[in-house]
Amino acid sequence: MFKKILKTLGIIVLLALVAFLVIQLWYLPRFLSSKARVELSKENSDEITIMSTNVRCYAPDDLFEKSWFYRADLIIADVNNVKPDIIGFQEVSPLHYGYLQNAMPDYESEIMYRDNWILSEGCPIFYRTDKYEKLDSGSFWLSETPDVMSKDWGAAHYRVATYMILKDRVSGREFVVFNTHLDHVSDEARINGIQVVLDKIAEFGGLPAFLMGDLNAYPDEETILFTHENFDDAHLIAEEADKGATYHKWGTKPDDNDKRIDYIMISKGAANVSEYRIVNNCHNGIWSSDHHSIYVKVTLK
């Protein structure tokens, strides 16, 4: 009798696992056959459009339309609506990165994954090759030993930052762009992590710098206040600025302006910001991510 019960339970568990896999992979054919592409405008100007997007990690419990296999095309729809010159993504695994590269053929990019896990995450930067030339790039860990894979200060995960020095092909102006994702658990890791990033930015001297990413901190927290000595929050200095939260947890969190955790920052005095926008990433009731994308339009001084 006991063996029969165990056998029945085993069959139930097996069927449940099969059902779970079917649900997980239901939209895989849609993903593999995707023809979504970012179509760029051929107009060129001194204005720079910079976008930051947290794509949401590949999570096994993101079922049905929350699945990356369904949402991927919605992310590209968000990008297509903005057509940024430069975009930094967060929580990008190899599964995300290959798709993004294919869907953004007019961009070049760089990524370094934070560890050796098969679905590890990175913070790639994509840039328009018709508008910019890459002069240098690199990545580093947010730790006491940034040149090697490491984590400190109670961080839940390894954390990385990626940067690029870009040169405008028309004006010849050079600037540096940083993209990162700070720890979501340890306040100490966030504060020290952003200091590592700021130290790296300082190595480029007076070169205009842009810092973007999911900083996992509200505007009144020390992590963000710490940056204000040398950087302006684009939201605060833009001529026109949307108000609202950036992390909405699939539309379940209040749209509170004080709950921004995604940022685009600009070294003080480096640029004029004409617009700061929050992308409404709800597509007929389906969210492309659990974060809103943000973007700015700036002109270097």
Side-chain angles (χ1 to χ4, degrees):
M1 182 67 178
F2 183 67
K3 289 183 178 180
K4 186 175 182 179
I5 293 173
L6 285 178
K7 183 177 181 181
T8 302
L9 288 174
I11 292 172
I12 292 172
V13 170
L14 179 61
L15 290 175
L17 287 173
V18 170
F20 179 77
L21 285 174
V22 169
I23 292 171
Q24 269 287 313
L25 301 177
W26 184 258
Y27 291 113
L28 181 60
R30 165 193 169 99
F31 178 77
L32 295 176
S33 62
S34 173
K35 297 295 190 295
R37 298 291 183 273
V38 176
E39 303 290 342
L40 290 179
S41 167
K42 295 303 179 183
E43 295 181 7
N44 207 331
S45 71
D46 290 338
E47 189 173 60
I48 309 170
T49 302
I50 302 176
M51 187 173 186
S52 179
T53 297
N54 185 316
V55 299
R56 167 70 176 178
C57 64
Y58 180 76
D61 57 343
D62 285 348
L63 304 177
F64 304 106
E65 285 86 359
K66 288 183 180 179
S67 164
W68 168 245
F69 298 136
Y70 186 89
R71 294 186 297 105
D73 284 3
L74 303 185
I75 290 285
I76 292 304
D78 292 339
V79 177
N80 228 347
N81 286 336
V82 177
K83 302 185 187 304
D85 299 310
I86 301 161
I87 180 168
F89 295 99
Q90 300 90 44
E91 298 192 15
V92 173
S93 73
L95 189 64
H96 298 87
Y97 189 52
Y99 170 86
L100 294 171
Q101 286 180 300
N102 190 57
M104 301 174 66
D106 295 318
Y107 295 77
E108 290 292 338
S109 62
E110 179 159 326
I111 191 172
M112 181 181 77
Y113 296 107
R114 66 190 187 189
D115 55 35
N116 296 322
W117 184 47
I118 191 172
L119 287 177
S120 184
E121 299 173 17
C123 301
I125 299 172
F126 283 68
Y127 69 96
R128 288 179 56 165
T129 55
D130 64 325
K131 194 169 181 178
Y132 304 107
E133 175 188 357
K134 184 180 75 172
L135 301 181
D136 192 16
S137 62
S139 299
F140 53 93
W141 281 268
L142 308 187
S143 72
E144 294 180 352
T145 51
D147 294 331
V148 296
M149 186 189 299
S150 51
K151 61 178 180 176
D152 292 295
W153 311 302
H157 299 289
Y158 295 99
R159 297 290 181 175
V160 295
T162 292
Y163 69 89
M164 283 184 180
I165 300 177
L166 298 176
K167 178 180 179 180
D168 188 296
R169 293 186 183 275
V170 175
S171 69
R173 295 292 304 275
E174 297 177 14
F175 55 93
V176 60
V177 181
F178 281 74
N179 181 29
T180 194
H181 187 185
L182 300 184
D183 198 68
H184 67 298
V185 171
S186 170
D187 190 50
E188 184 183 4
R190 286 189 289 274
I191 294 169
N192 285 291
I194 201 67
Q195 180 64 67
V196 174
V197 176
L198 295 174
D199 287 346
K200 187 67 177 181
I201 292 174
E203 294 180 12
F204 296 99
L207 204 61
F210 298 94
L211 167 60
M212 71 177 113
D214 176 356
L215 303 187
N216 270 316
Y218 298 139
D220 61 351
E221 293 188 277
E222 186 176 354
T223 300
I224 305 306
L225 297 176
F226 195 59
T227 68
H228 287 180
E229 182 177 348
N230 297 304
F231 280 82
D232 286 318
D233 181 346
H235 173 267
L236 300 179
I237 65 170
E239 295 173 16
E240 299 179 15
D242 292 341
K243 295 182 179 180
T246 57
Y247 175 61
H248 56 78
K249 199 177 180 181
W250 308 112
T252 64
K253 292 180 72 70
D255 193 23
D256 187 335
N257 187 47
D258 292 331
K259 302 304 181 185
R260 292 182 296 121
I261 64 172
D262 302 90
Y263 299 84
I264 299 174
M265 297 185 177
I266 304 164
S267 52
K268 284 187 179 295
N272 294 314
V273 184
S274 60
E275 296 180 43
Y276 165 93
R277 301 299 182 194
I278 299 173
V279 177
N280 182 355
N281 62 338
C282 187
H283 301 258
N284 297 317
I286 308 300
W287 299 95
S288 59
S289 175
D290 56 349
H291 288 242
H292 290 300
S293 297
I294 57 174
Y295 70 91
V296 297
K297 292 182 178 290
V298 306
T299 305
L300 292 175
K301 292 182 179 178

